[in-house]
Amino acid sequence: MNFHEYQAKDLFAQYDIPVPKGTAVKSADDAVAVAKAMDTHQWMVKAQVHAGGRGKAGGVKFAKSLDEVKQYAGDMLGMEIKTYQTGGMALPVNEVLITEAANIENELYLSLLVDRANKCLSFVASAEGGVEIEEVAKTHPEKIHTLTVDNTETLWPYACRKIGFAMGLTKKQVFQLTHIMMQMHKMFHDLDLSLIEINPLIIDDNQNVVALDAKINSDDNAEYRQKELAKLRDKSQEDPAEAKAHEHELNYIKLDGDIACMVNGAGLAMATMDVIKLKGGEPANFLDVGGGATAERVTIAFKIILSDPNVKSILVNIFGGIVRCDLIADGIITAIKEVGVEVPIVVRLEGTNVEAGKKLLEDSGLAVIAASDLDDAANKAVEAVGA
């Protein structure tokens, strides 16, 4: 789950990580009221969307008067922003953040993420902030500093101080950075996060270290114990089909192809997509209905699949281990009758009660294409697209 900048900064403030004062608003008049209440004469107006690159798309403006605050907020609210990070979607701007403008002496970079290679958490820091960290790593790898946090130990302040001195900070700033890193680590564990990124982390004109921007991602698998965080979800920033799938505990990701996949199990879903590619086809989605698939979930899955106008055939690949094939077959039949599927459907069943499941499909009178195995199913799904 992603968070808006203002939500991330609110969480930062709760963990005593310094951020500029700011408030998110939904109207230009409220923007002016918030700006007036601040002890400053310069403000930043920032569109709140789940993507980087807002500035180049007109989503970040420096205002030197209340009239400019009102103008920029009015221009942004209601606009749609599409950047290299939106996955082709144009995200609506429903809120803008009004924050005091900072006097920047220097821009740094700091993040904490799940390091899968080392199977632990790692900090990534750089004296080059405000730019794409990937480009810095490519062109100036010596400017990237990494701190891995051993799972059998805690995060030690001395290790944070080493990073600060390596970045060329003063003694005062090193201790401030150490505090921020320690709080980030605590926050990461407390809130079940998967990423914290501050870009830029700045040195202001008072020589203090401040988080000027904030990006946070949380682990959806821990949502059941992070109820307050779950309330912050903004579905307007998500693909509608993916948001609907999330509501029904389905794992769905839209892709660019035309062969839809409905599979039970993430590994089997990945294998199904691979075989479709091997046969010359293009998967339209990743969809895992889970081990506890029911007729209702299968019906919802069909509706989500068919919301994509690019879908020209559907491959249903079910291995009946926890769930019985006859129950899945019954769900497929119910779903097809309710939804009214007009594209070819290829079904491959294997596992518990497979024969009973196949017979139900055969006797249904529906135009379902039976497949003997995954290879056969992929061939038939690809052929159906070209038919």
Side-chain angles (χ1 to χ4, degrees), residues 299-337:
T299 301
I300 292 167
F302 268 112
K303 290 179 179 179
I304 292 171
I305 283 173
L306 294 171
S307 68
D308 180 357
N310 295 326
V311 170
K312 295 180 181 177
S313 73
I314 301 173
L315 195 166
V316 180
N317 185 23
I318 300 295
F319 178 79
I322 298 173
V323 63
R324 291 165 20 203
C325 287
D326 56 330
L327 292 179
I328 288 294
D330 186 51
I332 293 171
I333 293 167
T334 301
I336 292 174
K337 288 181 178 178

Side-chain angles (χ1 to χ4, degrees), residues 92-109:
V93 179
N94 300 318
E95 297 173 283
V96 295
L97 174 63
I98 309 301
T99 183
E100 57 186 11
N103 293 316
I104 302 172
E105 293 287 325
N106 197 11
E107 295 186 346
L108 316 173
Y109 175 91

Side-chain angles (χ1 to χ4, degrees), residues 46-340:
K46 309 176 79 174
Q48 297 300 283
V49 292
H50 287 176
R54 295 170 297 171
K56 294 179 181 178
V60 178
K61 296 288 186 180
F62 173 52
K64 293 175 285 186
S65 69
L66 292 174
D67 287 340
E68 286 187 348
V69 169
K70 185 171 186 177
Q71 177 190 337
Y72 296 149
D75 290 343
M76 290 181 195
L77 288 165
M79 73 181 291
E80 293 185 335
I81 289 181
K82 186 176 181 179
T83 75
Y84 66 97
Q85 289 190 8
T86 62
M89 288 181 59
L91 301 179
V93 179
N94 300 318
E95 297 173 283
V96 295
L97 174 63
I98 309 301
T99 183
E100 57 186 11
N103 293 316
I104 302 172
E105 293 287 325
N106 197 11
E107 295 186 346
L108 316 173
Y109 175 91
L110 181 64
S111 66
L112 177 60
L113 49 84
V114 178
D115 184 344
R116 301 192 186 282
N118 293 304
K119 301 178 181 178
C120 64
L121 298 184
S122 287
F123 281 94
V124 178
S126 176
E128 296 287 331
V131 295
E132 295 179 31
I133 195 65
E134 296 85 359
E135 186 63 26
V136 177
K138 181 179 178 181
T139 57
H140 297 286
E142 74 282 358
K143 295 183 178 180
I144 302 293
H145 308 281
T146 303
L147 170 62
T148 57
V149 184
D150 193 311
N151 291 323
T152 62
E153 299 183 25
T154 186
L155 173 65
W156 296 103
Y158 81 87
C160 302
R161 291 195 290 270
K162 286 179 65 176
I163 292 291
F165 284 120
M167 294 167 66
L169 302 183
T170 66
K171 182 178 178 180
K172 168 189 170 181
Q173 293 160 0
V174 165
F175 278 92
Q176 291 177 343
L177 178 72
T178 297
H179 171 76
I180 291 172
M181 292 175 69
M182 297 294 291
Q183 292 303 102
M184 286 172 64
H185 187 254
K186 176 175 172 53
M187 180 180 180
F188 204 100
H189 285 282
D190 287 352
L191 303 181
D192 291 303
L193 304 181
S194 59
L195 171 72
I196 303 176
E197 183 179 57
I198 307 174
N199 188 25
L201 178 71
I202 67 161
I203 308 297
D204 68 12
D205 54 349
N206 293 316
Q207 299 303 304
N208 291 318
V209 183
V210 179
L212 194 64
D213 202 351
K215 178 178 175 60
I216 292 177
N217 293 350
S218 67
D219 185 349
D220 285 346
N221 294 311
E223 190 175 292
Y224 70 96
R225 64 185 177 209
Q226 298 291 347
K227 302 297 185 184
E228 292 305 309
L229 287 187
K231 293 177 183 177
L232 302 179
R233 190 177 211 111
D234 185 352
K235 294 179 183 178
S236 73
Q237 301 294 305
E238 302 175 14
D239 180 277
E242 292 181 15
K244 184 175 181 180
H246 180 268
E247 286 180 17
H248 297 280
E249 299 181 347
L250 298 171
N251 297 309
Y252 173 86
I253 300 173
K254 186 181 180 303
L255 302 174
D256 296 329
D258 50 17
I259 301 176
C261 307
M262 185 190 304
V263 190
N264 65 327
L268 187 59
M270 295 296 290
T272 301
M273 294 163 61
D274 286 346
V275 176
I276 288 173
K277 288 283 290 184
L278 186 65
K279 300 299 180 181
E282 291 292 336
N285 64 270
F286 169 97
L287 176 55
D288 170 21
V289 296
T294 63
E296 180 185 7
R297 286 165 68 90
V298 171
T299 301
I300 292 167
F302 268 112
K303 290 179 179 179
I304 292 171
I305 283 173
L306 294 171
S307 68
D308 180 357
N310 295 326
V311 170
K312 295 180 181 177
S313 73
I314 301 173
L315 195 166
V316 180
N317 185 23
I318 300 295
F319 178 79
I322 298 173
V323 63
R324 291 165 20 203
C325 287
D326 56 330
L327 292 179
I328 288 294
D330 186 51
I332 293 171
I333 293 167
T334 301
I336 292 174
K337 288 181 178 178
E338 180 178 333
V339 178

